Amino acid sequence: MHHANISEAKAHLSQLIRRAITGDEVIITKADQPLINLTSLSQSFEPRTGGQWAGQVAIGDDSEFTSNEIDQLFYGPVEPGKQ
């Protein structure tokens, strides 16, 4: 675990980031009090896939918008004759 005050964090941010990426816990302090815990994100950079809710959600008959109106909210106005 590494503690760094704000001044040190400003001066050595790249080094602190490297430490966090390699798994070291980096805590930034102010007046000797822990303020920020610098950690590496463990996220996947794989492309996301959609469609998990396909067929599971239906718009009820009492909806205040029609399907065409919802399409227009997402995709913009429909040109006349292209509905």
Side-chain angles (χ1 to χ4, degrees):
M1 181 183 324
H2 180 76
H3 290 261
N5 63 34
I6 292 177
S7 296
E8 181 185 349
K10 285 181 184 180
H12 304 288
L13 183 60
S14 295
Q15 294 170 356
L16 295 175
I17 290 172
R18 252 185 261 117
R19 288 182 84 145
I21 288 172
T22 60
D24 193 7
E25 186 176 7
V26 177
I27 297 177
I28 299 174
T29 61
K30 181 177 182 179
D32 292 328
Q33 296 297 314
L35 188 63
I36 302 291
N37 184 13
L38 188 61
T39 58
S40 174
L41 294 177
S42 58
Q43 66 184 17
S44 171
F45 291 101
E46 298 291 321
R48 293 177 13 171
T49 58
Q52 290 84 359
W53 283 86
Q56 298 182 36
V57 178
I59 298 174
D61 294 336
D62 60 344
S63 174
E64 63 182 293
F65 296 107
T66 65
S67 293
N68 287 339
E69 290 171 326
I70 292 172
D71 285 345
Q72 288 180 23
L73 290 171
F74 279 99
Y75 306 112
V78 178
E79 294 178 28
K82 291 195 173 187
Q83 290 183 356

